[in-house]
């Protein structure tokens, strides 16, 4: 991926379908949700709408301090927690109109949302107060009435729901409930202190059937899976040198993969990683050399959407990783470490499919990057049937040249890239 060469004034293609689209300055929670063939991003006093290719298509106004978004299972409705007006808004995803507003004045500062069937679960609590909790709303009724289910003496709890399981944070505890309609019964509690998680819970995501919780801790260099029947930790993921911590987390619709953001002390490490939920193996890594903070993640079929903040100017962008869940092809490129201006350099390499099979005749894209970041596209390269290829280039200036070779996404494989750096000098 050539993310280092992206400009951000408009939707810009990284490969044939990956994109990074400018949204505006950092405001509010910047949560992201997908449904009804659309992508929704919370931007404080508006909700930005994009299609599933990452192109901006509209905006929803009439909202105030939008904190969280969730879509119905059929994609026809979007729900938004509006802290500024103490409401939950129900929005038609087809025409983007607000169809209902549920008054939560008695439960101010709605913060997080979770949806299970027609039951909407809402956490609430204002900053710098000692009053917070969670409630349910039966959205099948014409006038849903708030029904409190938990009280949090500190602040608005985190809340997630799937299957017949509801999970809430309460201080350093993770409370697990059985759901029967709008009625909940405490199944048990997971205490962060008992497991050495001194800073509590970061982000939480549930497997689609509600059997497993995936949590990023307040501060640690791994994240974990919890069996919500036995209330025990079953697996740790992503523990490696240089990782400072994990942040936003989400689970694919089939429960097979986990997408998570991470913070590392190496600027060349990828800030977004996909893990196999069953084996714990890293499946994909995204975004090397682009410094960002991730505010939200959401899957759309095989694609992954992220709302990211470029830390250099605090601008927000919608990142689309097309086919993120697909296995990646493999590319190799070799060339000399050094050369001279005006001398033709020959490069060789090979493309193989994700299962190590020969790809047949394929077209590869070649981009030439100078040390200042300037990028020039070179003529495309065609592989032989076994995936081998050769190309040449003559640099006329002394510089540190980077040659990036990549293949675009195919229906069965995500794009892959290989790079080689040549130091061109007169000496």
């Amino acid at each position: 991926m050539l993310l280092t060469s992206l400009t951000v004034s408009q939707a810009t293609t990284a490969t044939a379908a990956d994109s990074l689209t400018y949204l505006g300055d950092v405001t509010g929670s910047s949560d992201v949700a997908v449904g009804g063939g659309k992508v929704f991003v919370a931007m404080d006093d508006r909700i930005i709408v994009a299609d599933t290719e990452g192109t901006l298509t509209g905006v929803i106004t009439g909202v105030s301090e939008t904190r969280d978004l969730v879509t119905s299972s059929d994609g026809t409705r979007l729900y938004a927690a509006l802290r500024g007006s103490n409401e939950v808004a129900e929005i038609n995803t087809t025409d983007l109109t607000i169809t209902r507003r549920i008054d939560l004045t008695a439960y101010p500062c709605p913060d997080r949302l979770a949806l299970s069937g027609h039951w909407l679960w809402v956490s609430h609590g204002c900053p710098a107060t000692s009053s917070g909790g969670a409630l349910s709303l039966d959205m099948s009724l014409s006038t849903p009435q708030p029904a409190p289910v938990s009280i949090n003496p500190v602040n608005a709890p985190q809340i997630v729901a799937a299957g017949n399981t509801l999970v809430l944070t309460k201080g350093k505890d993770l409370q697990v409930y059985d759901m029967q309609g709008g009625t909940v019964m405490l199944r048990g509690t997971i205490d962060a202190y008992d497991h050495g998680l001194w800073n509590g819970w970061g982000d939480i995501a549930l497997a689609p059937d509600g059997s497993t919780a995936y949590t990023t801790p307040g501060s640690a260099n791994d994240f974990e899976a919890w069996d919500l029947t036995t209330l025990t930790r079953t697996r740790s993921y992503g523990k490696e040198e240089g990782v400072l911590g994990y942040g936003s987390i989400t689970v694919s619709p089939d429960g097979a993969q986990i997408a998570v953001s991470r913070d590392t002390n190496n600027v060349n490490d990828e800030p977004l990683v996909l893990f196999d939920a069953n084996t714990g193996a890293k499946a994909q890594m995204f975004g090397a050399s682009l410094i960002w903070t991730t505010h939200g993640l959401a899957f759309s079929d095989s694609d992954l959407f992220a709302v990211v903040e470029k830390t250099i100017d605090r601008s927000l962008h919608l990142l689309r990783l097309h086919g993120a869940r697909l296995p990646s092809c493999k590319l190799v490129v070799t060339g000399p470490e050094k050369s001279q201006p005006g001398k033709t350099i020959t490069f060789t390499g090979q493309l193989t499919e994700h299962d190590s099979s020969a790809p047949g005749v394929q077209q590869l894209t070649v981009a030439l990057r100078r040390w200042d970041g300037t990028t020039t596209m070179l003529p495309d390269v065609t592989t032989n049937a076994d995936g081998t290829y050769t190309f040449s280039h003559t640099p006329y200036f002394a510089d540190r040249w980077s040659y990036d070779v990549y293949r675009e996404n195919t229906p069965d494989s995500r794009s892959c890239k290989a790079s080689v750096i040549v130091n061109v000098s007169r000496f």
Side-chain angles (χ1 to χ4, degrees), residues 182-261:
T183 303
V184 295
M185 179 176 295
L186 183 65
R187 185 186 303 171
T189 298
I190 302 172
D191 191 302
Y193 286 146
D194 290 345
H195 298 276
L197 303 175
W198 314 118
N199 291 309
W201 310 94
D203 199 12
I204 305 168
L206 296 188
D209 62 1
S211 63
T212 306
Y214 301 96
T215 64
T216 56
S219 62
N221 65 345
D222 59 0
F223 66 99
E224 297 166 321
W226 305 83
D227 185 314
L228 297 184
T229 300
T230 62
L231 305 180
T232 57
R233 179 165 48 194
T234 57
R235 183 187 293 275
S236 292
Y237 298 81
K239 189 177 183 65
E240 60 184 84
E241 185 177 352
V243 175
L244 303 178
Y246 289 89
S248 300
I249 189 169
T250 191
V251 182
S252 62
D254 62 0
Q257 291 173 313
I258 308 161
V260 62
S261 65

Side-chain angles (χ1 to χ4, degrees), residues 9 34 36 39 55 71 73 75 84 126 175 206 261 267-268 285 351 355 364 371 377 386-387 391-392 396 410 415 418:
S9 58
V34 177
V39 182
T55 302
T71 55
S73 58
C126 300
Q175 295 188 321
L206 296 188
S261 65
V267 297
N268 291 317
M285 296 177 290
L351 168 71
D355 58 1
L364 305 178
W371 185 242
M377 304 308 295
D386 63 356
F391 69 95
S392 299
Y396 290 98
T410 69
S415 61

Side-chain angles (χ1 to χ4, degrees), residues 38 75-76 92-97:
K38 296 180 176 69
T76 62
N92 185 313
T93 58
T94 300
D95 60 17
L96 306 182
T97 58

Side-chain angles (χ1 to χ4, degrees), residues 313-351:
D313 60 5
R314 299 212 66 204
S315 58
L316 282 179
H317 308 265
L318 179 64
L319 173 65
R320 183 208 186 197
L321 297 170
H322 178 58
R325 298 186 59 207
L326 298 176
S328 181
C329 56
K330 303 172 186 177
L331 259 175
V332 175
V333 60
T334 60
E337 293 183 1
K338 299 178 181 180
S339 189
Q340 296 177 332
K343 181 178 179 180
T344 298
I345 306 171
T346 299
F347 300 88
T348 60
Q350 186 167 17
L351 168 71

